Amino acid sequence: NSNLLRTVTAEIEDALPDDLPNGLKIAYYNTDTKNSPSNYGVILYLSYSTGTNKWFTAIACTTNNGGIYISSKTNEEPWSKWVKLLFS
């Protein structure tokens, strides 16, 4: 379904939102963004929800202090803490 493969680039207020559209979303964050893993960067969201099921993954690439971070959310559970996957 082509509706599942969409990209939207936007500045976000909260790096770990409660709801996301199905598909892919790209957003950038800065020092004003809540719940971000660093001061500046870009986040790729992979999301699928149906009914009460929510499966969200966020992959953040930082622009300062280098690194790639990941966080996930399932159903009504809170987002996991950011985990640093790669050091630069």
Side-chain angles (χ1 to χ4, degrees):
N1 184 332
S2 63
N3 290 333
L4 297 180
L5 298 174
R6 77 177 100 160
T7 58
V8 178
T9 304
E11 181 179 358
I12 51 174
E13 293 180 14
D14 190 343
L16 301 175
D18 288 328
D19 288 305
L20 288 165
N22 283 342
L24 301 175
K25 177 180 178 178
I26 299 171
Y28 63 93
Y29 62 90
N30 57 37
T31 55
D32 295 326
T33 306
K34 293 184 269 184
N35 298 311
S36 60
S38 67
N39 289 337
Y40 299 94
V42 177
I43 300 177
L44 171 64
Y45 296 98
L46 296 88
S47 58
Y48 179 75
S49 60
T50 179
T52 59
N53 295 319
K54 294 180 182 179
W55 305 310
F56 300 159
T57 300
I59 302 168
C61 301
T62 66
T63 59
N64 66 325
N65 298 325
I68 297 174
Y69 293 80
I70 191 166
S71 179
S72 62
K73 174 180 174 54
T74 303
N75 300 329
E76 297 304 317
E77 296 295 317
W79 281 90
S80 64
K81 292 184 182 199
W82 288 106
V83 175
K84 193 169 190 176
L85 298 179
L86 183 66
F87 300 90
S88 64

